[in-house]
């Protein structure tokens, strides 16, 4: 997908992911947050730990194709931006944090992989 269709499809995927996290009590801290390393799709507050959840949203025809779009280079950029974001938190780099990948298929179904960066 390219252009406006891809942009709106990505926004719809992010909204679906936000709804799923919101249903479990997570609060949204930022959407499409830009740091020095690049963009982080969603940044949320975990209601149980008070920690920060950094979420990369990937949409494709199915979950496997969406997962295949996560690259090591992208993970590095997200982690660099996350470190910058954590610097804005009261506990700085000591803030509890995790990195999730949210996969969205063409039907709008969402699968969340918690602590996912170790899986790629």
């Amino acid at each position: 997908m390219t252009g406006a269709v891809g942009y709106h499809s990505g926004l719809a995927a992010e909204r679906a992911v936000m709804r799923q996290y919101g249903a479990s009590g997570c609060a949204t801290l930022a959407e499409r947050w830009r740091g020095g390393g690049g963009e982080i799709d969603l940044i949320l507050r975990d209601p149980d730990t008070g920690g920060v959840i950094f979420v990369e949203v990937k949409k494709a025809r199915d979950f496997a194709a969406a997962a295949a779009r996560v690259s090591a280079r992208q993970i590095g950029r997200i982690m660099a931006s996350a470190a910058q974001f954590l610097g804005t938190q009261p506990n700085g780099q000591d803030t509890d944090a995790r990195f999730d990948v949210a996969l969205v298929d063409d039907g709008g179904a969402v699968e969340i992989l918690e602590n996912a960066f170790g899986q790629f």
Side-chain angles (χ1 to χ4, degrees):
M1 270 180 261
T2 60
V5 173
Y7 174 78
H8 289 292
S9 177
L11 285 180
E14 287 177 12
R15 296 282 181 247
V17 170
M18 284 175 50
R19 280 192 300 276
Q20 188 156 327
Y21 277 102
S24 65
C26 292
T28 302
L29 300 177
E31 299 174 49
R32 294 177 302 285
W33 190 84
R34 279 212 157 291
E39 184 178 275
I40 300 173
D41 292 329
L42 299 172
I43 303 175
L44 308 162
R45 176 82 60 206
D46 185 309
D48 299 323
T49 68
V52 176
I53 306 169
F54 298 98
V55 183
E56 176 64 16
V57 178
K58 291 294 185 186
K59 184 183 181 316
R61 70 183 175 282
D62 57 41
F63 295 143
R69 293 183 174 176
V70 179
S71 71
R73 182 176 169 170
Q74 184 176 42
I75 289 170
R77 288 194 311 258
I78 291 167
M79 291 181 81
S81 289
Q84 187 177 354
F85 181 86
L86 290 174
T88 70
Q89 299 300 293
N91 292 330
Q93 301 301 313
D94 289 333
T95 303
D96 183 43
R98 77 175 200 239
F99 295 87
D100 293 358
V101 173
L103 309 173
V104 181
D105 70 11
D106 277 347
V110 175
E111 180 178 331
I112 295 173
L113 306 175
E114 292 184 4
N115 293 308
F117 283 3
Q119 300 174 36
F120 293 93

